[in-house]
Amino acid sequence: VVLQQLKSSWTTFPDDYLTNPKLLNFTSVSDPTGAIRSAFETRAKRILSDMQVYSPWLLKDVRFARTLPLWRPLLSRPVCIVPYRHPLEVAASSMMHSSTLWRNYMLSALTAVRELKCPTLLVSYEAWFADADSQYHNLWSFLRCAGVSGLPADPPYKAMKDVVQPRLKHHDAGHLARSQYSKQMLPSTECIWRAISNKSAPIDQLHQRLSKCSRP
C-alpha cells in the first residue's frame, strides 16, 4: 500500500534508477498533513510490537529492498541479510521473468543498507546447496558479531537443514545462458552480478564496484 501511496509499485523503478538509485522517502509526494507517513508508522509499529514477543525475529520480503528507509527510524538495532541468486535463475522462476527487475532490486537493497549503515551479510543462494554447513556457520557468526541477542549457543543445524531442499531448485544458470533468457543478461545486470558474487573482495568495497555498472 505504501508503495502505491508514494506513486510507485514493487515492479516499477524510475527510468534513471541505474545511474541514480535514490532511497524511497515520504517527501517524494505531496503529503502536507503527513497522513501517509502517520498511517504507515501506525501499521508498522503494530507489526513490530507483535514481532517483539519472538525476539530475535526476522522479516523477509523482497520489497524491504525498497521500503527499508521507511522502516529504519522505527528499528532499534537492525541487521540486514541480502540473499542473492543468479539473475537468469531469478528471471526464470519469478512471475515477472525479468532480470532487469533483479538488477534494480539488488541495487536498491545494496544502496539502502549502505546509506542506512545497516550491518550486512550477503548470502549466496547457490552456496547453500554446495556447502550448507559453512553457510550456517557464516550466518550464525555474523549474527553474533552484529550483536543480535537471544540466539541459542549453537546454530540449530537440524532445523535449518529441513529448510534447504536441493530438489526444489528448478533452474540452472548454465542451462539458462543457452536459452532465450540469455538475451536478458544486459551488461549492467552482468556487472552487478559479478560485483556481488566476487567473494575475494570485501563488502565495504562493493559500492565502489557497483559504481562501474551504470551502463544499461
Side-chain angles (χ1 to χ4, degrees):
V1 175
V2 71
L3 285 172
Q4 294 177 345
Q5 293 173 327
L6 296 179
K7 308 301 182 185
S8 185
S9 78
W10 75 273
T11 59
T12 58
F13 288 77
D15 292 338
D16 65 344
Y17 196 76
L18 180 61
T19 57
N20 187 27
K22 288 184 178 179
L23 298 186
L24 199 65
N25 62 78
F26 289 109
T27 62
S28 61
V29 296
S30 177
D31 184 28
T33 64
I36 295 176
R37 179 195 292 268
S38 179
F40 170 80
E41 292 185 347
T42 297
R43 293 193 300 269
K45 287 177 180 179
R46 190 179 304 123
I47 293 171
L48 295 176
S49 178
D50 291 342
M51 296 296 292
Q52 199 59 36
V53 177
Y54 306 100
S55 184
W57 45 264
L58 168 74
L59 289 177
K60 174 183 174 292
D61 191 313
V62 67
R63 288 166 295 187
F64 275 121
R66 303 201 68 191
T67 62
L68 181 61
L70 312 182
W71 287 84
R72 181 60 186 90
L74 308 177
L75 305 173
S76 54
R77 294 180 59 192
V79 298
C80 299
I81 299 170
V82 181
Y84 64 92
R85 184 181 182 184
H86 194 283
L88 295 185
E89 294 182 0
V90 174
S93 62
S94 67
M95 67 178 184
M96 297 302 295
H97 298 295
S98 170
S99 65
T100 300
L101 195 59
W102 174 93
R103 180 197 71 188
N104 289 340
Y105 264 98
M106 290 305 304
L107 189 57
S108 179
L110 295 170
T111 300
V113 298
R114 175 180 178 270
E115 295 197 17
L116 298 174
K117 296 179 171 56
C118 184
T120 302
L121 176 69
L122 296 179
V123 177
S124 165
Y125 174 87
E126 191 66 34
W128 283 96
F129 300 110
D131 188 357
D133 286 347
S134 292
Q135 294 303 302
Y136 300 144
H137 176 76
N138 293 341
L139 176 59
W140 210 250
S141 297
F142 165 75
L143 294 174
R144 293 176 69 87
C145 288
V148 177
S149 59
L151 296 171
D154 298 304
Y157 286 110
K158 184 179 184 306
M160 287 193 283
K161 285 182 177 180
D162 290 339
V163 174
V164 179
Q165 301 285 339
R167 62 183 176 80
L168 297 180
K169 183 185 178 185
H170 302 302
H171 300 286
D172 176 78
H175 172 73
L176 292 169
R178 299 186 296 273
S179 71
Q180 74 273 17
Y181 284 100
S182 63
K183 298 178 181 178
Q184 291 203 29
M185 203 65 170
L186 301 176
S188 57
T189 304
E190 174 136 10
C191 180
I192 292 175
W193 165 248
R194 290 186 180 279
I196 294 170
S197 58
N198 182 0
K199 300 178 179 60
S200 64
I203 191 172
D204 58 2
Q205 295 179 9
L206 180 58
H207 189 76
Q208 181 180 356
R209 302 200 303 274
L210 290 176
S211 67
K212 301 176 181 179
C213 301
S214 59
R215 201 168 116 236

